[in-house]
Amino acid sequence: MRAVTVTPGVPNSLRLVDDHPEPPAEEGAILVEALAVGICATDHEIVSGGYGEAPPGATALVLGHESLGRVVEDPTGTLRPGDLVAGIVRHPDPVPCPNCAVGEWDMCRNGRYTEHGIKALPGFARDQWRVEPGFAVRLDPALAPVGMLLEPTSVVAKAWDHIERIGARAEWQPRTVLVTGAGPIGLLAALLATQRGLAVHVLDLATAGPKPELVRALGATYHAEPVTQLDLQPDVLVECTGAPTVVLDAMCAVGPTGIVCLTGVSSGGRTIDFDAGALNRELVLENNVVFGSVNANRRHWELAADALAHADQGWLASLITRRVPVGAYAEAYTPSSDDIKVVLDFTA
């Protein structure tokens, strides 16, 4: 069985193993045949040696957390052979903490969670994988070409769920949304905003390539100038770049009672001269909220599956800029500025 692996913490250890063991029954009752995995910045960071944790007792980590597959067998009767599924990435910690105990492992409080292809659980970049019924999400059959987008969509489904919960603190009728960053997360955040009937603006520095047209195809407005140059005070701002200056500008950009959701992860180590007192004054006097959001629980995965099922399938397919066969795995994991989403294809 083929599997794409790394030795965590060791740069340039990416390799394709042709004789990887079949997934043991202990991994889950449902056996799934892999169709594809999506590749993101987290994978690039793991490949570079900056992150990742092998399962207990192992030295190698199977990559892949943006999964798509077909059920081979499910003795529990939860799913049927041939069903299109994705595997939920994060699993609750074994203690468990109060949040993990009620299925909110995305909000784990002690950090002992595990994650497929990232932290202490083998990933989905292998010919077959197993998962328990509670961590398998069935997809509409029409999503077969794009179902690996479910994991990043679950991230923004959670973000929107929490935005709306925060908004419910008062009478709230949002009309305008600004999304900073037109990568996969930003574009999917914009998709979910348009599905809510909001006026959507997307900001990214790219002036060429597919991003501007993908935004316009949603009926949204594309901006290629800094946040500070926009004549706009959005009700909601979803920050998807992690760039420190953009993050700070985003906090200052929303209107009164505005909500800023930070989904981009900053690298740290950079100091910026910034008037924190002025920001604090504005946040307090205008009742603004800034919060971070990462990962998702099963409810968000199901919301994401519904959102993808109701999206324009041609638009979703346009997010995938490269489909690479498993045999060319090194090419798939080589970043390119022209890419939006790269997919490693297990069927080619």
Side-chain angles (χ1 to χ4, degrees):
M1 187 178 79
R2 300 171 299 173
V4 179
T5 71
V6 296
T7 302
V10 180
N12 303 316
S13 61
L14 179 72
R15 66 190 183 113
L16 179 64
V17 178
D18 291 319
D19 58 350
H20 194 273
E22 295 184 1
E26 293 77 23
E27 288 187 13
I30 301 174
L31 179 63
V32 180
E33 179 183 13
L35 298 177
V37 293
I39 297 171
C40 75
T42 298
D43 296 296
H44 295 313
E45 187 174 1
I46 294 172
V47 170
S48 71
Y51 192 65
E53 180 183 333
T59 58
L61 172 68
V62 178
L63 288 178
H65 59 279
E66 299 181 3
S67 63
L68 180 66
R70 287 197 185 279
V71 174
V72 176
E73 62 182 25
D74 178 8
T76 72
T78 306
L79 297 169
R80 294 180 296 181
D83 279 350
L84 192 70
V85 294
I88 291 176
V89 177
R90 184 174 288 192
H91 287 223
D93 68 77
V95 175
C97 75
N99 288 338
C100 286
V102 295
E104 294 179 346
W105 51 76
D106 56 310
M107 304 294 285
C108 181
R109 296 177 63 179
N110 61 24
R112 296 179 187 175
Y113 59 83
T114 55
E115 293 178 319
H116 284 287
I118 302 174
K119 182 184 178 185
L121 283 179
F124 302 112
R126 44 184 169 155
D127 284 316
Q128 290 187 333
W129 41 271
R130 285 185 176 273
V131 67
E132 291 293 352
F135 293 88
V137 180
R138 185 168 60 180
L139 290 161
D140 188 302
L143 293 172
V146 296
M148 75 293 297
L149 296 174
L150 183 61
E151 190 277 338
T153 307
S154 74
V155 172
V156 293
K158 173 189 173 177
W160 274 108
D161 175 40
H162 286 202
I163 288 166
E164 290 165 345
R165 290 187 181 206
I166 293 168
R169 64 192 166 143
E171 177 62 25
W172 193 57
Q173 297 180 356
R175 287 180 267 185
T176 307
V177 177
L178 174 62
V179 177
T180 52
I185 294 292
L187 290 167
L188 290 167
L191 168 67
L192 269 62
T194 61
Q195 289 182 339
R196 287 162 167 77
L198 301 169
V200 181
H201 298 257
V202 178
L203 183 149
D204 194 279
L205 295 180
T207 56
K211 292 180 178 180
E213 184 52 40
L214 283 166
V215 170
R216 295 184 188 111
L218 285 175
T221 302
Y222 188 84
H223 303 272
E225 60 265 36
V227 175
T228 54
Q229 294 182 17
L230 297 183
D231 184 18
L232 184 68
Q233 277 196 318
D235 301 303
V236 176
L237 196 152
V238 185
E239 206 299 300
C240 305
T241 70
T245 55
V246 180
V247 171
L248 291 172
D249 289 342
M251 293 181 187
C252 300
V254 291
T257 71
I259 299 172
V260 178
C261 175
L262 307 178
T263 67
V265 179
S266 303
S267 58
R270 180 180 176 187
T271 302
I272 298 174
D273 186 11
F274 187 76
D275 189 345
L279 173 60
N280 177 74
R281 178 181 176 84
E282 184 172 348
L283 291 176
V284 172
L285 295 182
E286 296 194 349
N287 288 294
N288 291 346
V289 173
V290 179
F291 76 100
S293 181
V294 69
N295 206 267
N297 62 45
R298 183 178 179 93
R299 182 169 57 85
H300 303 127
W301 282 73
E302 291 172 344
L303 289 171
D306 184 66
L308 290 182
H310 287 88
D312 181 277
Q313 300 303 299
W315 185 86
L316 292 174
S318 297
L319 299 184
I320 301 171
T321 45
R322 280 196 291 153
R323 292 181 184 268
V324 182
V326 174
Y329 70 100
E331 176 187 338
Y333 285 91
T334 301
S336 170
S337 59
D338 295 328
D339 284 323
I340 294 178
K341 175 58 63 181
V342 178
V343 169
L344 190 64
D345 190 343
F346 276 80
T347 68

